[in-house]
Amino acid sequence: SEMCIRDSINAEYGGDNVHAQIRELEACEARWGAVASKFGRVWTADGDGAWRQRFCVLLRAERRLLELDSWRDEPTAAHAAHSVSTSLSGTHAARSFALFVRTRKSQLLLAPIAADREARIERDEWLAAIGAATKSKLRARKAAGRGKSGRGAASVLLRDAVLQGKLYKKALAWRSRWFALLPGGALHWWADAAAAAAGKPSRGVFSLLGAHVGKPPSSGKHHAFYVKTPASSLLLRAKSAAKVDEWIAHVQRVIADADK
């Protein structure tokens, strides 16, 4: 599942409280992951034109988009629940990477909290989730265009992986991702294990040619490690010190083989 409370976590706990962020992230994923295809804190606006921050949940089994004040809320009749029909990407004067969501009664504007390149990714994830829920023509065309080759390529990646598992990747905040380490010298990641198993293209790939791996000076209690090249770097976090050591050992071995 996706990062659902990045900005609210940072506001509540501060960017340095890693353990609090991870606990909140895991609690949020446990709360909504089984029933929602997409969830997260976003900007929303309807007919009055006023933007407000809401925690939105796209229910997996329904074409309904819930607007909550917090991920902890229990949905009630007082919360807005939109019957979604279609969605279109666009740009709004007040918000970058806005999403125009057509509902049964009106139109809802939705926009990511982030204001950088992460916003485009978040916007596209909402588009894909709403498209899948409504079986839109856009979603069908994308699926037809990929065909079986895309799914096969991803399954080959997972089958050949030296090591795979859930790690937390640091961007603006810690975000859970499913990683696969390949023997050829590449580290791929997906939004989650389900996306990888379904054969979706990886969200990113990091070349290990010329890379080195290690632990930051203050990584002990955070179970963090880094992978670095002269051009780029990844900061990652595992669930335990044992998992950190396992990933470092396997990455070092793949780096050594790739550099031969």
Side-chain angles (χ1 to χ4, degrees):
S1 59
E2 301 303 317
M3 173 63 179
C4 60
I5 45 174
R6 175 183 62 203
D7 296 275
S8 56
I9 285 176
N10 284 339
E12 185 172 353
Y13 294 99
D16 294 330
N17 197 328
V18 175
H19 287 297
Q21 291 184 30
I22 296 299
R23 284 195 300 270
E24 285 285 285
L25 172 57
E26 291 177 339
C28 179
E29 290 176 337
R31 170 75 173 84
W32 294 109
V35 298
S37 55
K38 175 68 179 171
F39 47 91
R41 182 163 289 279
V42 295
W43 289 104
T44 66
D46 47 27
D48 62 6
W51 289 92
R52 55 188 70 86
Q53 284 195 24
R54 292 287 186 266
F55 184 83
C56 286
V57 179
L58 181 63
L59 296 176
R60 192 186 305 278
E62 308 173 43
R63 295 182 181 180
R64 283 204 305 151
L65 184 70
L66 304 179
E67 284 190 74
L68 309 175
D69 293 322
S70 166
W71 68 269
R72 297 181 180 87
D73 288 352
E74 287 293 334
T76 67
H79 293 111
H82 307 281
S83 295
V84 177
S85 59
T86 58
S87 62
L88 296 170
S89 62
T91 300
H92 189 272
R95 303 287 169 197
S96 299
F97 305 114
L99 204 68
F100 299 87
V101 182
R102 190 179 299 279
T103 68
R104 184 172 297 174
K105 296 181 179 179
S106 61
Q107 180 173 275
L108 176 72
L109 295 176
L110 184 152
I113 298 292
D116 57 11
R117 64 186 182 88
E118 293 286 328
R120 184 188 297 273
I121 296 173
E122 188 74 7
R123 189 272 312 275
D124 290 347
E125 288 176 354
W126 277 105
L127 273 173
I130 293 172
T134 59
K135 296 180 173 63
S136 68
K137 292 181 180 179
L138 176 61
R139 176 74 176 184
R141 284 199 299 269
K142 286 183 176 179
R146 278 200 306 268
K148 294 183 179 180
S149 59
R151 291 192 294 273
S155 63
V156 169
L157 289 180
L158 292 179
R159 186 183 65 204
D160 295 341
V162 175
L163 181 65
Q164 60 178 300
K166 181 178 178 180
L167 295 171
Y168 295 90
K169 177 178 174 288
K170 183 65 181 288
L172 294 178
W174 293 97
R175 307 185 74 171
S176 64
R177 293 287 181 257
W178 188 264
F179 280 80
L181 175 63
L182 300 188
L187 195 57
H188 287 255
W189 63 88
W190 291 260
D192 50 34
K200 294 183 179 180
S202 59
R203 289 281 301 273
V205 59
F206 190 92
S207 173
L208 297 175
L209 291 175
H212 66 277
V213 60
K215 299 179 183 179
S218 59
S219 65
K221 63 179 181 180
H222 295 157
H223 310 313
F225 66 101
Y226 64 82
V227 185
K228 194 177 222 180
T229 70
S232 187
S233 65
L234 280 177
L235 182 59
L236 304 170
R237 183 182 184 272
K239 293 274 288 184
S240 66
K243 279 293 179 185
V244 169
D245 292 340
E246 181 182 18
W247 275 97
I248 288 178
H250 281 83
V251 171
Q252 285 175 332
R253 191 173 304 120
V254 169
I255 290 172
D257 291 341
D259 287 342
K260 286 180 180 178

